[in-house]
Amino acid sequence: MKTKSIIFILLLTIITVSCSKSVEYSKEFKKQTSGKYLYNPDELILVYYEGDKLLLNWKGGEIKPVTLSENEFFVPDMYKKFRFVQHPKTKERYLSVIPEDNENKVTYDYLKVAEDYKTPSQHLVDGNYDKALAGYLEIKKQDSTSSYIRERDFNSIGYNHLRKNRYDEAIAVFKLNTVLHPNSSNVYDSLADAYLRSGDSLQAYNNYKKALEMDPHNPRAERYLKAYKPKM
């Protein structure tokens, strides 16, 4: 059954692509529809035009959708049909997914955001840690189990900075992780490690102490506290 489904999808895609229409987009339409659309709390779809060719950028790759009309297109990579819509009350613009079972239904799926809008992960890459944290906290507020705020992912980013001796960046990321995951001993252990490598033994002590309080079986924290205490 799986093989038949794949073949069916491939055939449907080929048929749809062959039906792609040549559309002349007006300047006003391009202006209204090009820009950033919020695909999820930490991911964008970029819509732009090269002449009369509609293009998307999603997950870091350029996509050439199949144009069905000025306002509708099909994206094989997502296996979805879209239309551009404007909310009648808010006047905000959206990418609307066209349901297979009811093509006349209008939904407001992916909001068009301002040109200077950045996702939390983009702020993180740019070193805007306060803005990144605010964005991640909003994601956590909506879904505390979201894959976009996984402790291990921030830990990995922090240690990547440490390997390159970027201590300030590592400390900032580990601090962010302590706010998002305040009940984890590991986040304080990592923050202590970053402070220790940066030469701040007092902050290393304070955070190893907190890590040990949360997990009495943390050997690294225990060793450091024993070694550091006599020096105090």
Side-chain angles (χ1 to χ4, degrees):
M1 288 296 291
K2 287 185 178 179
T3 303
K4 289 182 179 179
S5 296
I6 292 170
I7 293 173
F8 175 76
I9 291 171
L10 287 173
L11 286 173
L12 188 58
T13 301
I14 292 170
I15 293 169
T16 306
V17 170
S18 66
C19 294
S20 181
K21 296 180 180 179
S22 178
V23 176
E24 291 185 10
Y25 298 100
S26 67
K27 288 184 178 180
E28 184 62 24
F29 184 85
K30 291 178 185 178
K31 182 180 178 181
Q32 290 173 345
T33 57
S34 61
K36 301 177 179 180
Y37 292 81
L38 195 58
Y39 182 69
N40 59 44
D42 201 35
E43 196 172 349
L44 297 169
I45 298 175
L46 304 183
V47 174
Y48 52 101
Y49 297 84
E50 288 183 0
D52 280 321
K53 186 184 292 183
L54 170 65
L55 296 170
L56 309 181
N57 191 292
W58 181 57
K59 293 186 180 295
E62 186 174 82
I63 297 174
K64 298 177 181 178
V66 179
T67 54
L68 304 175
S69 67
E70 182 185 53
N71 208 42
E72 296 182 358
F73 57 92
F74 173 71
V75 181
D77 304 63
M78 298 178 178
Y79 197 68
K80 289 180 181 178
K81 286 168 67 176
F82 295 89
R83 64 165 61 97
F84 294 108
V85 298
Q86 185 176 27
H87 196 284
K89 292 183 179 179
T90 66
K91 302 304 178 183
E92 291 181 309
R93 294 188 176 275
Y94 291 82
L95 273 179
S96 172
V97 178
I98 302 174
E100 292 183 19
D101 58 344
N102 185 1
E103 295 201 352
N104 293 320
K105 184 179 180 180
V106 176
T107 59
Y108 303 95
D109 301 291
Y110 307 129
L111 173 68
K112 185 181 179 186
V113 293
E115 283 300 309
D116 61 352
Y117 181 92
K118 290 186 178 182
T119 63
S121 60
Q122 287 176 325
H123 281 305
L124 190 66
V125 169
D126 292 344
N128 299 321
Y129 299 108
D130 290 341
K131 291 181 179 179
L133 177 58
Y136 286 125
L137 285 173
E138 184 59 31
I139 291 175
K140 184 177 181 179
K141 182 180 176 182
Q142 301 298 324
D143 179 10
S144 61
T145 63
S146 171
S147 61
Y148 298 107
I149 55 171
R150 287 186 297 216
E151 175 188 329
R152 66 176 181 271
D153 291 340
F154 295 114
N155 222 42
S156 178
I157 294 169
Y159 273 104
N160 186 50
H161 284 310
L162 275 188
R163 283 190 289 272
K164 297 175 182 177
N165 299 322
R166 297 199 292 249
Y167 302 117
D168 290 342
E169 291 88 341
I171 289 169
V173 173
F174 289 139
K175 277 185 174 181
L176 181 150
N177 215 9
T178 64
V179 177
L180 291 173
H181 304 282
N183 298 319
S184 168
S185 171
N186 185 57
V187 297
Y188 293 102
D189 182 277
S190 297
L191 180 56
D193 189 20
Y195 275 124
L196 183 60
R197 297 195 201 188
S198 73
D200 192 336
S201 55
L202 178 58
Q203 285 300 330
Y205 176 87
N206 290 337
N207 283 280
Y208 272 133
K209 183 179 179 182
K210 187 170 290 188
L212 192 63
E213 288 171 353
M214 301 180 76
D215 178 12
H217 303 292
N218 185 322
R220 184 163 65 172
E222 189 173 16
R223 283 196 303 270
Y224 184 77
L225 293 180
K226 286 181 178 178
Y228 188 81
K229 224 170 187 180
K231 298 177 184 179
M232 295 180 66

